[in-house]
Amino acid sequence: MSDTRDLFRSLRDADGGRAPSFAATLASGRARAAAPGRPGTFPAAAAVLAGLVLAFVLVPRVKQDGSLRAAIASAREMSAWSAPTAVFLDPIERTLQDSTPTLALSSVPLPE
Amino acid sequence: MTTMEATIDRAAPSDLGAEVEALHPDAFAWAMTCCGRDRTLAEEVLQMSYVKVLSGEARFAGRSALKTFLYGVIRRTAASERRRVRLVAGRIARFARLSVRPTPVEEPPDVAALAAALARLSGRQREVLHLVFAEDFTVEGAAAVLGIGVGSARVHYDRGKKRLKAFLGGTR
């Protein structure tokens, strides 16, 4: 197993020998952290998001635009329609209220 | 005197930066392992990890050795970056109908077989074996770096060792 260990150490040393300098690594890291975001990531993401929102908002509207007038006319027609039996649905209270006699004094014959 | 030694000499003994710098070559080798030997990604991961550690975003509380802590930060950063790269590269590849693969690293001849055999192991097995064989961590220490249970680390270690032996035996 020490053979394997030696191989691993050789690989580690080979990688370590090819490492960029610590100062350069740290400087790049700090520059990356100081940047407002990953270059190009945010604008691209924002553009894609805006495109999607526009697509979701505009595409259905464009599709429906041609039939909008027809839809309004249909809605008006439906709201004006009344069933033939709708008359039976009149609340009985309204009928009673309509037929209730007025109780003005002039309409009541008072005894002399 | 090398640049690294000069920097350490200038720094105070308690300077975290100097201690991290002393670990730099080995940390880069660890980043290479965590990044599937993708050199560009390993460099980026190391840059981000150093900034996290030295800016205090990842706070070293001294509960473990600095090496364990730093390697843990590198591993987590690598995992998150690899996920991000996979997502972005996958989308671009699907769009352009390309296959995206990292640029292969030119390995020294004496370790090329090991690097090729390691590439056939799972990420966890690679990481455990690297920590134990190349960095002299115990399996318990490797588990702490990887943020997994000792039992789980032991399973990865045993299986990885067996598979590696088989792969290296096949190439010899």
mmCIF file of all heavy atoms in Angstrom, chain A residues 1 3 5 7-12 14-16 18-22 25-26 28-30 32-33 38, chain B residues 21 24-25 28 37 39 44 47 50-51 54 81 84 105-107 110-111 114 132-136 172:
data_model
loop_
_atom_site.group_PDB
_atom_site.id
_atom_site.type_symbol
_atom_site.label_atom_id
_atom_site.label_comp_id
_atom_site.label_asym_id
_atom_site.label_seq_id
_atom_site.Cartn_x
_atom_site.Cartn_y
_atom_site.Cartn_z
ATOM 1 N N MET A 1 0.827 -1.221 0.000
ATOM 2 C CA MET A 1 0.000 0.000 0.000
ATOM 3 C C MET A 1 0.858 1.267 0.000
ATOM 4 O O MET A 1 0.422 2.331 -0.343
ATOM 5 C CB MET A 1 -0.939 -0.033 1.216
ATOM 6 C CG MET A 1 -2.169 0.878 1.135
ATOM 7 S SD MET A 1 -2.995 0.986 -0.459
ATOM 8 C CE MET A 1 -3.814 -0.612 -0.507
ATOM 9 N N ASP A 3 3.242 1.747 -1.898
ATOM 10 C CA ASP A 3 3.407 2.052 -3.317
ATOM 11 C C ASP A 3 2.300 3.006 -3.774
ATOM 12 O O ASP A 3 2.565 4.027 -4.432
ATOM 13 C CB ASP A 3 3.330 0.722 -4.100
ATOM 14 C CG ASP A 3 3.757 0.910 -5.540
ATOM 15 O OD1 ASP A 3 4.478 1.886 -5.813
ATOM 16 O OD2 ASP A 3 3.360 0.079 -6.382
ATOM 17 N N ARG A 5 0.511 4.901 -1.810
ATOM 18 C CA ARG A 5 0.709 6.165 -1.096
ATOM 19 C C ARG A 5 1.744 7.041 -1.818
ATOM 20 O O ARG A 5 1.543 8.248 -1.978
ATOM 21 C CB ARG A 5 1.167 5.865 0.333
ATOM 22 C CG ARG A 5 0.948 6.984 1.306
ATOM 23 C CD ARG A 5 1.264 6.521 2.713
ATOM 24 N NE ARG A 5 0.211 5.714 3.311
ATOM 25 C CZ ARG A 5 -0.850 6.225 3.941
ATOM 26 N NH1 ARG A 5 -0.989 7.526 4.050
ATOM 27 N NH2 ARG A 5 -1.754 5.433 4.464
ATOM 28 N N LEU A 7 2.457 6.945 -4.961
ATOM 29 C CA LEU A 7 1.847 7.439 -6.211
ATOM 30 C C LEU A 7 0.966 8.655 -5.937
ATOM 31 O O LEU A 7 1.024 9.658 -6.656
ATOM 32 C CB LEU A 7 0.991 6.331 -6.836
ATOM 33 C CG LEU A 7 1.678 5.372 -7.789
ATOM 34 C CD1 LEU A 7 0.707 4.305 -8.249
ATOM 35 C CD2 LEU A 7 2.210 6.136 -9.002
ATOM 36 N N PHE A 8 0.159 8.552 -4.882
ATOM 37 C CA PHE A 8 -0.723 9.674 -4.534
ATOM 38 C C PHE A 8 0.100 10.916 -4.203
ATOM 39 O O PHE A 8 -0.251 12.026 -4.602
ATOM 40 C CB PHE A 8 -1.596 9.297 -3.331
ATOM 41 C CG PHE A 8 -2.925 8.716 -3.723
ATOM 42 C CD1 PHE A 8 -3.101 7.350 -3.832
ATOM 43 C CD2 PHE A 8 -4.010 9.537 -3.993
ATOM 44 C CE1 PHE A 8 -4.317 6.804 -4.188
ATOM 45 C CE2 PHE A 8 -5.231 9.001 -4.359
ATOM 46 C CZ PHE A 8 -5.380 7.626 -4.455
ATOM 47 N N ARG A 9 1.175 10.718 -3.487
ATOM 48 C CA ARG A 9 2.012 11.874 -3.114
ATOM 49 C C ARG A 9 2.682 12.479 -4.347
ATOM 50 O O ARG A 9 2.809 13.687 -4.447
ATOM 51 C CB ARG A 9 3.052 11.450 -2.078
ATOM 52 C CG ARG A 9 2.401 11.299 -0.721
ATOM 53 C CD ARG A 9 3.377 10.891 0.320
ATOM 54 N NE ARG A 9 2.694 10.709 1.595
ATOM 55 C CZ ARG A 9 3.172 9.995 2.605
ATOM 56 N NH1 ARG A 9 4.336 9.405 2.490
ATOM 57 N NH2 ARG A 9 2.499 9.886 3.726
ATOM 58 N N SER A 10 3.068 11.603 -5.272
ATOM 59 C CA SER A 10 3.664 12.128 -6.508
ATOM 60 C C SER A 10 2.654 12.967 -7.273
ATOM 61 O O SER A 10 2.988 14.036 -7.800
ATOM 62 C CB SER A 10 4.127 10.975 -7.403
ATOM 63 O OG SER A 10 5.094 10.217 -6.748
ATOM 64 N N LEU A 11 1.422 12.459 -7.321
ATOM 65 C CA LEU A 11 0.371 13.210 -8.030
ATOM 66 C C LEU A 11 0.105 14.536 -7.328
ATOM 67 O O LEU A 11 -0.029 15.585 -7.966
ATOM 68 C CB LEU A 11 -0.909 12.364 -8.095
ATOM 69 C CG LEU A 11 -2.083 12.977 -8.854
ATOM 70 C CD1 LEU A 11 -1.724 13.249 -10.305
ATOM 71 C CD2 LEU A 11 -3.305 12.070 -8.793
ATOM 72 N N ARG A 12 0.048 14.487 -5.992
ATOM 73 C CA ARG A 12 -0.183 15.715 -5.225
ATOM 74 C C ARG A 12 0.951 16.714 -5.458
ATOM 75 O O ARG A 12 0.716 17.898 -5.690
ATOM 76 C CB ARG A 12 -0.277 15.378 -3.739
ATOM 77 C CG ARG A 12 -0.533 16.584 -2.848
ATOM 78 C CD ARG A 12 -0.139 16.296 -1.432
ATOM 79 N NE ARG A 12 1.300 16.064 -1.313
ATOM 80 C CZ ARG A 12 1.906 15.636 -0.206
ATOM 81 N NH1 ARG A 12 1.210 15.375 0.866
ATOM 82 N NH2 ARG A 12 3.213 15.465 -0.174
ATOM 83 N N ALA A 14 2.960 16.831 -8.013
ATOM 84 C CA ALA A 14 2.917 17.315 -9.401
ATOM 85 C C ALA A 14 1.878 18.421 -9.535
ATOM 86 O O ALA A 14 2.124 19.453 -10.170
ATOM 87 C CB ALA A 14 2.584 16.153 -10.342
ATOM 88 N N ASP A 15 0.712 18.212 -8.907
ATOM 89 C CA ASP A 15 -0.337 19.249 -8.950
ATOM 90 C C ASP A 15 0.115 20.502 -8.226
ATOM 91 O O ASP A 15 -0.066 21.620 -8.710
ATOM 92 C CB ASP A 15 -1.628 18.717 -8.315
ATOM 93 C CG ASP A 15 -2.366 17.774 -9.239
ATOM 94 O OD1 ASP A 15 -2.121 17.826 -10.457
ATOM 95 O OD2 ASP A 15 -3.186 16.971 -8.740
ATOM 96 N N GLY A 16 0.707 20.294 -7.045
ATOM 97 C CA GLY A 16 1.172 21.437 -6.251
ATOM 98 C C GLY A 16 2.235 22.237 -6.986
ATOM 99 O O GLY A 16 2.267 23.464 -6.910
ATOM 100 N N ARG A 18 2.394 22.675 -10.099
ATOM 101 C CA ARG A 18 1.797 23.426 -11.214
ATOM 102 C C ARG A 18 0.786 24.472 -10.730
ATOM 103 O O ARG A 18 0.066 25.063 -11.524
ATOM 104 C CB ARG A 18 1.092 22.455 -12.168
ATOM 105 C CG ARG A 18 2.066 21.584 -12.947
ATOM 106 C CD ARG A 18 1.360 20.647 -13.879
ATOM 107 N NE ARG A 18 0.588 19.638 -13.171
ATOM 108 C CZ ARG A 18 -0.028 18.619 -13.755
ATOM 109 N NH1 ARG A 18 0.028 18.482 -15.053
ATOM 110 N NH2 ARG A 18 -0.710 17.736 -13.047
ATOM 111 N N ALA A 19 0.710 24.637 -9.427
ATOM 112 C CA ALA A 19 -0.274 25.587 -8.876
ATOM 113 C C ALA A 19 0.117 27.015 -9.230
ATOM 114 O O ALA A 19 1.304 27.348 -9.229
ATOM 115 C CB ALA A 19 -0.331 25.435 -7.363
ATOM 116 N N PRO A 20 -0.864 27.855 -9.520
ATOM 117 C CA PRO A 20 -0.542 29.277 -9.723
ATOM 118 C C PRO A 20 -0.078 29.867 -8.400
ATOM 119 O O PRO A 20 -0.333 29.286 -7.341
ATOM 120 C CB PRO A 20 -1.879 29.879 -10.160
ATOM 121 C CG PRO A 20 -2.915 28.955 -9.626
ATOM 122 C CD PRO A 20 -2.302 27.593 -9.587
ATOM 123 N N SER A 21 0.580 31.010 -8.439
ATOM 124 C CA SER A 21 1.116 31.566 -7.185
ATOM 125 C C SER A 21 -0.031 31.957 -6.246
ATOM 126 O O SER A 21 -1.129 32.292 -6.689
ATOM 127 C CB SER A 21 1.978 32.796 -7.486
ATOM 128 O OG SER A 21 1.150 33.910 -7.728
ATOM 129 N N PHE A 22 0.269 31.897 -4.973
ATOM 130 C CA PHE A 22 -0.755 32.226 -3.969
ATOM 131 C C PHE A 22 -1.231 33.663 -4.130
ATOM 132 O O PHE A 22 -2.435 33.934 -4.084
ATOM 133 C CB PHE A 22 -0.173 32.021 -2.562
ATOM 134 C CG PHE A 22 -1.116 32.393 -1.465
ATOM 135 C CD1 PHE A 22 -2.177 31.570 -1.126
ATOM 136 C CD2 PHE A 22 -0.951 33.578 -0.764
ATOM 137 C CE1 PHE A 22 -3.059 31.915 -0.112
ATOM 138 C CE2 PHE A 22 -1.821 33.933 0.254
ATOM 139 C CZ PHE A 22 -2.882 33.105 0.583
ATOM 140 N N THR A 25 -3.510 34.006 -7.061
ATOM 141 C CA THR A 25 -4.804 33.363 -6.786
ATOM 142 C C THR A 25 -5.666 34.257 -5.905
ATOM 143 O O THR A 25 -6.847 34.473 -6.176
ATOM 144 C CB THR A 25 -4.567 32.007 -6.080
ATOM 145 O OG1 THR A 25 -3.707 31.219 -6.884
ATOM 146 C CG2 THR A 25 -5.867 31.262 -5.868
ATOM 147 N N LEU A 26 -5.032 34.784 -4.852
ATOM 148 C CA LEU A 26 -5.778 35.634 -3.926
ATOM 149 C C LEU A 26 -6.227 36.925 -4.608
ATOM 150 O O LEU A 26 -7.369 37.377 -4.414
ATOM 151 C CB LEU A 26 -4.901 35.941 -2.709
ATOM 152 C CG LEU A 26 -5.591 36.585 -1.525
ATOM 153 C CD1 LEU A 26 -6.765 35.746 -1.054
ATOM 154 C CD2 LEU A 26 -4.603 36.773 -0.377
ATOM 155 N N SER A 28 -6.833 37.407 -7.775
ATOM 156 C CA SER A 28 -7.939 37.102 -8.687
ATOM 157 C C SER A 28 -9.232 36.893 -7.909
ATOM 158 O O SER A 28 -10.303 37.337 -8.326
ATOM 159 C CB SER A 28 -7.646 35.836 -9.487
ATOM 160 O OG SER A 28 -6.454 35.987 -10.197
ATOM 161 N N GLY A 29 -9.098 36.222 -6.764
ATOM 162 C CA GLY A 29 -10.284 35.984 -5.936
ATOM 163 C C GLY A 29 -10.876 37.277 -5.422
ATOM 164 O O GLY A 29 -12.096 37.457 -5.430
ATOM 165 N N ARG A 30 -10.013 38.178 -4.996
ATOM 166 C CA ARG A 30 -10.508 39.464 -4.479
ATOM 167 C C ARG A 30 -11.136 40.288 -5.588
ATOM 168 O O ARG A 30 -12.158 40.946 -5.382
ATOM 169 C CB ARG A 30 -9.369 40.224 -3.807
ATOM 170 C CG ARG A 30 -9.053 39.607 -2.453
ATOM 171 C CD ARG A 30 -8.049 40.385 -1.654
ATOM 172 N NE ARG A 30 -7.978 39.824 -0.305
ATOM 173 C CZ ARG A 30 -6.869 39.743 0.409
ATOM 174 N NH1 ARG A 30 -5.741 40.199 -0.083
ATOM 175 N NH2 ARG A 30 -6.881 39.237 1.619
ATOM 176 N N ARG A 32 -12.550 39.119 -8.214
ATOM 177 C CA ARG A 32 -13.821 38.452 -8.528
ATOM 178 C C ARG A 32 -14.894 38.833 -7.508
ATOM 179 O O ARG A 32 -16.036 39.106 -7.848
ATOM 180 C CB ARG A 32 -13.601 36.948 -8.501
ATOM 181 C CG ARG A 32 -14.826 36.103 -8.748
ATOM 182 C CD ARG A 32 -14.524 34.665 -8.390
ATOM 183 N NE ARG A 32 -13.676 34.038 -9.371
ATOM 184 C CZ ARG A 32 -14.129 33.345 -10.405
ATOM 185 N NH1 ARG A 32 -15.430 33.179 -10.571
ATOM 186 N NH2 ARG A 32 -13.322 32.803 -11.270
ATOM 187 N N ALA A 33 -14.466 38.877 -6.222
ATOM 188 C CA ALA A 33 -15.424 39.208 -5.168
ATOM 189 C C ALA A 33 -15.844 40.672 -5.236
ATOM 190 O O ALA A 33 -16.984 41.012 -4.907
ATOM 191 C CB ALA A 33 -14.810 38.910 -3.804
ATOM 192 N N ARG A 38 -20.934 37.939 -11.430
ATOM 193 C CA ARG A 38 -20.172 37.243 -12.450
ATOM 194 C C ARG A 38 -20.386 37.968 -13.761
ATOM 195 O O ARG A 38 -21.530 38.273 -14.102
ATOM 196 C CB ARG A 38 -20.650 35.806 -12.568
ATOM 197 C CG ARG A 38 -20.226 34.986 -11.381
ATOM 198 C CD ARG A 38 -20.362 33.530 -11.719
ATOM 199 N NE ARG A 38 -19.833 32.725 -10.662
ATOM 200 C CZ ARG A 38 -20.583 32.260 -9.651
ATOM 201 N NH1 ARG A 38 -21.863 32.517 -9.611
ATOM 202 N NH2 ARG A 38 -20.047 31.535 -8.714
ATOM 203 N N GLU B 21 -1.364 30.372 3.021
ATOM 204 C CA GLU B 21 -0.370 30.359 1.952
ATOM 205 C C GLU B 21 0.552 29.146 2.065
ATOM 206 O O GLU B 21 0.937 28.548 1.058
ATOM 207 C CB GLU B 21 0.453 31.643 1.984
ATOM 208 C CG GLU B 21 1.438 31.711 0.819
ATOM 209 C CD GLU B 21 2.147 33.049 0.713
ATOM 210 O OE1 GLU B 21 1.987 33.893 1.609
ATOM 211 O OE2 GLU B 21 2.861 33.250 -0.284
ATOM 212 N N HIS B 24 -0.925 26.295 0.395
ATOM 213 C CA HIS B 24 -1.388 26.563 -0.975
ATOM 214 C C HIS B 24 -1.114 25.434 -1.982
ATOM 215 O O HIS B 24 -2.058 25.006 -2.664
ATOM 216 C CB HIS B 24 -0.806 27.893 -1.462
ATOM 217 C CG HIS B 24 -1.141 28.214 -2.875
ATOM 218 N ND1 HIS B 24 -2.441 28.383 -3.313
ATOM 219 C CD2 HIS B 24 -0.349 28.383 -3.967
ATOM 220 C CE1 HIS B 24 -2.424 28.642 -4.606
ATOM 221 N NE2 HIS B 24 -1.175 28.643 -5.029
ATOM 222 N N PRO B 25 0.111 24.907 -2.104
ATOM 223 C CA PRO B 25 0.324 23.866 -3.124
ATOM 224 C C PRO B 25 -0.551 22.630 -2.889
ATOM 225 O O PRO B 25 -1.159 22.102 -3.819
ATOM 226 C CB PRO B 25 1.811 23.517 -2.984
ATOM 227 C CG PRO B 25 2.421 24.694 -2.304
ATOM 228 C CD PRO B 25 1.368 25.251 -1.404
ATOM 229 N N PHE B 28 -4.132 23.363 -3.689
ATOM 230 C CA PHE B 28 -4.415 23.326 -5.132
ATOM 231 C C PHE B 28 -4.589 21.877 -5.603
ATOM 232 O O PHE B 28 -5.491 21.573 -6.389
ATOM 233 C CB PHE B 28 -3.299 24.011 -5.922
ATOM 234 C CG PHE B 28 -3.558 24.036 -7.394
ATOM 235 C CD1 PHE B 28 -4.537 24.863 -7.935
ATOM 236 C CD2 PHE B 28 -2.862 23.211 -8.263
ATOM 237 C CE1 PHE B 28 -4.808 24.877 -9.293
ATOM 238 C CE2 PHE B 28 -3.124 23.210 -9.620
ATOM 239 C CZ PHE B 28 -4.101 24.046 -10.142
ATOM 240 N N ARG B 37 -10.148 17.114 -11.728
ATOM 241 C CA ARG B 37 -8.916 17.451 -12.438
ATOM 242 C C ARG B 37 -9.138 18.471 -13.557
ATOM 243 O O ARG B 37 -8.442 18.471 -14.565
ATOM 244 C CB ARG B 37 -8.199 16.194 -12.948
ATOM 245 C CG ARG B 37 -7.968 15.182 -11.855
ATOM 246 C CD ARG B 37 -6.856 14.214 -12.138
ATOM 247 N NE ARG B 37 -5.567 14.830 -12.338
ATOM 248 C CZ ARG B 37 -4.842 15.414 -11.371
ATOM 249 N NH1 ARG B 37 -5.325 15.475 -10.147
ATOM 250 N NH2 ARG B 37 -3.666 15.928 -11.632
ATOM 251 N N ARG B 39 -8.419 21.961 -14.347
ATOM 252 C CA ARG B 39 -7.493 22.950 -13.793
ATOM 253 C C ARG B 39 -8.118 24.342 -13.680
ATOM 254 O O ARG B 39 -7.973 25.020 -12.656
ATOM 255 C CB ARG B 39 -6.231 23.011 -14.671
ATOM 256 C CG ARG B 39 -5.151 23.880 -14.087
ATOM 257 C CD ARG B 39 -3.983 24.090 -15.016
ATOM 258 N NE ARG B 39 -3.221 25.220 -14.528
ATOM 259 C CZ ARG B 39 -2.218 25.130 -13.660
ATOM 260 N NH1 ARG B 39 -1.857 23.964 -13.210
ATOM 261 N NH2 ARG B 39 -1.581 26.192 -13.227
ATOM 262 N N GLU B 44 -10.362 28.606 -10.054
ATOM 263 C CA GLU B 44 -11.475 29.476 -9.646
ATOM 264 C C GLU B 44 -11.973 29.118 -8.251
ATOM 265 O O GLU B 44 -12.259 29.988 -7.427
ATOM 266 C CB GLU B 44 -12.622 29.366 -10.653
ATOM 267 C CG GLU B 44 -12.326 30.054 -11.958
ATOM 268 C CD GLU B 44 -13.469 29.944 -12.944
ATOM 269 O OE1 GLU B 44 -14.568 29.530 -12.552
ATOM 270 O OE2 GLU B 44 -13.244 30.260 -14.123
ATOM 271 N N GLN B 47 -9.577 30.385 -5.681
ATOM 272 C CA GLN B 47 -9.705 31.841 -5.518
ATOM 273 C C GLN B 47 -10.884 32.169 -4.590
ATOM 274 O O GLN B 47 -10.765 32.940 -3.638
ATOM 275 C CB GLN B 47 -9.958 32.508 -6.870
ATOM 276 C CG GLN B 47 -8.773 32.479 -7.820
ATOM 277 C CD GLN B 47 -9.158 32.849 -9.240
ATOM 278 O OE1 GLN B 47 -10.271 33.324 -9.487
ATOM 279 N NE2 GLN B 47 -8.268 32.630 -10.173
ATOM 280 N N TYR B 50 -10.273 31.018 -0.883
ATOM 281 C CA TYR B 50 -9.359 31.886 -0.129
ATOM 282 C C TYR B 50 -10.073 33.170 0.304
ATOM 283 O O TYR B 50 -9.887 33.635 1.431
ATOM 284 C CB TYR B 50 -8.132 32.244 -0.978
ATOM 285 C CG TYR B 50 -7.138 31.110 -1.148
ATOM 286 C CD1 TYR B 50 -6.115 31.190 -2.081
ATOM 287 C CD2 TYR B 50 -7.217 29.964 -0.371
ATOM 288 C CE1 TYR B 50 -5.198 30.152 -2.243
ATOM 289 C CE2 TYR B 50 -6.308 28.923 -0.531
ATOM 290 C CZ TYR B 50 -5.303 29.028 -1.473
ATOM 291 O OH TYR B 50 -4.410 28.008 -1.619
ATOM 292 N N VAL B 51 -10.847 33.725 -0.600
ATOM 293 C CA VAL B 51 -11.565 34.958 -0.251
ATOM 294 C C VAL B 51 -12.558 34.680 0.870
ATOM 295 O O VAL B 51 -12.675 35.461 1.819
ATOM 296 C CB VAL B 51 -12.268 35.547 -1.502
ATOM 297 C CG1 VAL B 51 -13.214 36.665 -1.112
ATOM 298 C CG2 VAL B 51 -11.227 36.066 -2.483
ATOM 299 N N LEU B 54 -10.398 34.233 4.111
ATOM 300 C CA LEU B 54 -9.662 35.408 4.577
ATOM 301 C C LEU B 54 -10.563 36.620 4.827
ATOM 302 O O LEU B 54 -10.196 37.527 5.560
ATOM 303 C CB LEU B 54 -8.551 35.769 3.584
ATOM 304 C CG LEU B 54 -7.478 34.675 3.446
ATOM 305 C CD1 LEU B 54 -6.448 35.043 2.397
ATOM 306 C CD2 LEU B 54 -6.806 34.386 4.774
ATOM 307 N N GLU B 81 -19.700 25.009 -7.281
ATOM 308 C CA GLU B 81 -19.267 25.493 -8.604
ATOM 309 C C GLU B 81 -19.477 24.427 -9.684
ATOM 310 O O GLU B 81 -19.872 24.732 -10.801
ATOM 311 C CB GLU B 81 -17.802 25.912 -8.563
ATOM 312 C CG GLU B 81 -17.592 27.281 -7.967
ATOM 313 C CD GLU B 81 -18.348 28.369 -8.717
ATOM 314 O OE1 GLU B 81 -17.991 28.697 -9.845
ATOM 315 O OE2 GLU B 81 -19.330 28.882 -8.159
ATOM 316 N N ARG B 84 -23.031 24.446 -10.620
ATOM 317 C CA ARG B 84 -23.355 25.611 -11.450
ATOM 318 C C ARG B 84 -22.834 25.426 -12.872
ATOM 319 O O ARG B 84 -23.547 25.650 -13.847
ATOM 320 C CB ARG B 84 -22.749 26.874 -10.831
ATOM 321 C CG ARG B 84 -23.177 28.163 -11.488
ATOM 322 C CD ARG B 84 -22.459 29.333 -10.858
ATOM 323 N NE ARG B 84 -21.035 29.313 -11.107
ATOM 324 C CZ ARG B 84 -20.459 29.692 -12.246
ATOM 325 N NH1 ARG B 84 -21.198 30.127 -13.237
ATOM 326 N NH2 ARG B 84 -19.153 29.641 -12.392
ATOM 327 N N VAL B 105 -5.936 17.538 -18.526
ATOM 328 C CA VAL B 105 -4.650 17.996 -17.977
ATOM 329 C C VAL B 105 -3.566 17.032 -18.429
ATOM 330 O O VAL B 105 -3.763 15.822 -18.426
ATOM 331 C CB VAL B 105 -4.722 18.022 -16.428
ATOM 332 C CG1 VAL B 105 -3.412 18.488 -15.839
ATOM 333 C CG2 VAL B 105 -5.862 18.902 -15.968
ATOM 334 N N GLU B 106 -2.448 17.596 -18.813
ATOM 335 C CA GLU B 106 -1.296 16.763 -19.204
ATOM 336 C C GLU B 106 -0.661 16.220 -17.920
ATOM 337 O O GLU B 106 -0.089 16.973 -17.133
ATOM 338 C CB GLU B 106 -0.284 17.643 -19.954
ATOM 339 C CG GLU B 106 0.866 16.898 -20.580
ATOM 340 C CD GLU B 106 0.537 16.363 -21.972
ATOM 341 O OE1 GLU B 106 -0.438 16.843 -22.580
ATOM 342 O OE2 GLU B 106 1.258 15.490 -22.426
ATOM 343 N N GLU B 107 -0.823 14.920 -17.684
ATOM 344 C CA GLU B 107 -0.323 14.335 -16.440
ATOM 345 C C GLU B 107 1.121 13.857 -16.633
ATOM 346 O O GLU B 107 1.458 13.334 -17.700
ATOM 347 C CB GLU B 107 -1.180 13.141 -16.034
ATOM 348 C CG GLU B 107 -2.670 13.431 -15.923
ATOM 349 C CD GLU B 107 -3.027 14.317 -14.738
ATOM 350 O OE1 GLU B 107 -2.122 14.731 -14.001
ATOM 351 O OE2 GLU B 107 -4.214 14.614 -14.575
ATOM 352 N N ASP B 110 4.653 9.309 -14.635
ATOM 353 C CA ASP B 110 4.668 8.403 -13.478
ATOM 354 C C ASP B 110 3.344 8.358 -12.734
ATOM 355 O O ASP B 110 3.099 7.415 -11.971
ATOM 356 C CB ASP B 110 5.808 8.794 -12.517
ATOM 357 C CG ASP B 110 5.719 10.244 -12.086
ATOM 358 O OD1 ASP B 110 5.223 11.060 -12.881
ATOM 359 O OD2 ASP B 110 6.129 10.562 -10.952
ATOM 360 N N VAL B 111 2.493 9.366 -12.913
ATOM 361 C CA VAL B 111 1.218 9.373 -12.187
ATOM 362 C C VAL B 111 0.016 9.330 -13.134
ATOM 363 O O VAL B 111 -1.124 9.393 -12.681
ATOM 364 C CB VAL B 111 1.107 10.610 -11.269
ATOM 365 C CG1 VAL B 111 2.089 10.520 -10.120
ATOM 366 C CG2 VAL B 111 1.293 11.893 -12.055
ATOM 367 N N LEU B 114 -2.363 6.513 -12.329
ATOM 368 C CA LEU B 114 -3.167 6.769 -11.133
ATOM 369 C C LEU B 114 -4.273 7.780 -11.439
ATOM 370 O O LEU B 114 -5.429 7.584 -11.045
ATOM 371 C CB LEU B 114 -2.282 7.303 -10.001
ATOM 372 C CG LEU B 114 -3.025 7.740 -8.742
ATOM 373 C CD1 LEU B 114 -3.716 6.556 -8.077
ATOM 374 C CD2 LEU B 114 -2.087 8.412 -7.749
ATOM 375 N N VAL B 132 -6.604 10.473 2.502
ATOM 376 C CA VAL B 132 -5.918 9.463 3.317
ATOM 377 C C VAL B 132 -4.514 9.186 2.777
ATOM 378 O O VAL B 132 -3.544 9.179 3.541
ATOM 379 C CB VAL B 132 -6.754 8.166 3.373
ATOM 380 C CG1 VAL B 132 -5.974 7.037 4.046
ATOM 381 C CG2 VAL B 132 -8.051 8.410 4.136
ATOM 382 N N PHE B 133 -4.411 8.993 1.467
ATOM 383 C CA PHE B 133 -3.118 8.577 0.911
ATOM 384 C C PHE B 133 -2.179 9.747 0.637
ATOM 385 O O PHE B 133 -0.973 9.649 0.849
ATOM 386 C CB PHE B 133 -3.330 7.775 -0.371
ATOM 387 C CG PHE B 133 -3.842 6.382 -0.106
ATOM 388 C CD1 PHE B 133 -5.026 5.951 -0.665
ATOM 389 C CD2 PHE B 133 -3.143 5.505 0.704
ATOM 390 C CE1 PHE B 133 -5.506 4.682 -0.415
ATOM 391 C CE2 PHE B 133 -3.612 4.233 0.960
ATOM 392 C CZ PHE B 133 -4.807 3.811 0.398
ATOM 393 N N ALA B 134 -2.717 10.838 0.134
ATOM 394 C CA ALA B 134 -1.832 11.948 -0.249
ATOM 395 C C ALA B 134 -1.621 12.922 0.896
ATOM 396 O O ALA B 134 -0.600 13.599 0.949
ATOM 397 C CB ALA B 134 -2.409 12.675 -1.447
ATOM 398 N N GLU B 135 -2.595 13.020 1.803
ATOM 399 C CA GLU B 135 -2.512 14.050 2.843
ATOM 400 C C GLU B 135 -2.376 13.477 4.247
ATOM 401 O O GLU B 135 -2.400 14.235 5.224
ATOM 402 C CB GLU B 135 -3.768 14.937 2.775
ATOM 403 C CG GLU B 135 -3.956 15.653 1.448
ATOM 404 C CD GLU B 135 -3.024 16.838 1.290
ATOM 405 O OE1 GLU B 135 -2.352 17.196 2.270
ATOM 406 O OE2 GLU B 135 -2.953 17.389 0.189
ATOM 407 N N ASP B 136 -2.327 12.159 4.342
ATOM 408 C CA ASP B 136 -2.153 11.488 5.644
ATOM 409 C C ASP B 136 -3.263 11.780 6.649
ATOM 410 O O ASP B 136 -3.034 11.773 7.859
ATOM 411 C CB ASP B 136 -0.794 11.865 6.273
ATOM 412 C CG ASP B 136 0.348 11.210 5.520
ATOM 413 O OD1 ASP B 136 0.127 10.128 4.930
ATOM 414 O OD2 ASP B 136 1.455 11.782 5.500
ATOM 415 N N ARG B 172 -1.269 -2.379 -15.190
ATOM 416 C CA ARG B 172 0.152 -2.744 -15.037
ATOM 417 C C ARG B 172 0.449 -4.067 -15.715
ATOM 418 O O ARG B 172 -0.397 -4.907 -15.828
ATOM 419 C CB ARG B 172 0.510 -2.815 -13.556
ATOM 420 C CG ARG B 172 0.692 -1.416 -12.998
ATOM 421 C CD ARG B 172 1.010 -1.467 -11.531
ATOM 422 N NE ARG B 172 1.101 -0.107 -11.033
ATOM 423 C CZ ARG B 172 1.261 0.179 -9.770
ATOM 424 N NH1 ARG B 172 1.352 -0.741 -8.863
ATOM 425 N NH2 ARG B 172 1.344 1.438 -9.365
#
